[in-house]
Amino acid sequence: MNSQRLAQLRISPLHIQQLLFATLALLVTLLSIQQYQHWSSASEAPQIKQHFTHSQSYSTVSVPMAKDTALSLTPVEGNVEVSELPQRQTWVF
């Protein structure tokens, strides 16, 4: 049924060419708009940077390192033999 519907559409090579050209025109338009916005924001960037240079500066905050962190780790109870570990499943074809 689908092949009959597609055959009834009668898409010619001219239609495909027009669709590809419209897609290319849309792509070029979108890229040019994006480039224009990039250029306009690049010219506004120094103005924004000057605006923030007059703001109050912030000081860095440091956290004291805990010396007991390494000593507070508890060792694992009991050693496990390699033969007791669960076996990894492998596939052989």
Side-chain angles (χ1 to χ4, degrees), residues 5-19:
R5 289 180 187 168
L6 290 177
Q8 291 174 354
L9 288 177
R10 296 182 184 176
I11 299 174
S12 67
L14 179 63
H15 290 123
I16 295 173
Q17 184 180 7
Q18 289 173 344
L19 177 66

Side-chain angles (χ1 to χ4, degrees), residues 4 8 13 18 21 23 26 30 35 38 44 46 50 55-56 58 64-65 67 70-71 91 93:
Q4 292 175 353
Q8 291 174 354
Q18 289 173 344
F21 180 75
T23 305
L26 179 65
L30 291 175
Q35 188 65 35
H38 176 71
E44 294 173 2
Q50 290 174 357
S55 65
Q56 181 182 9
Y58 296 97
M65 294 293 291
K67 294 179 182 177
L71 299 176
W91 295 87
F93 294 101

Side-chain angles (χ1 to χ4, degrees), residues 41-56:
S41 67
S43 65
E44 294 173 2
Q47 296 171 358
I48 294 172
K49 191 179 283 185
Q50 290 174 357
H51 175 71
F52 287 118
T53 55
H54 300 293
S55 65
Q56 181 182 9

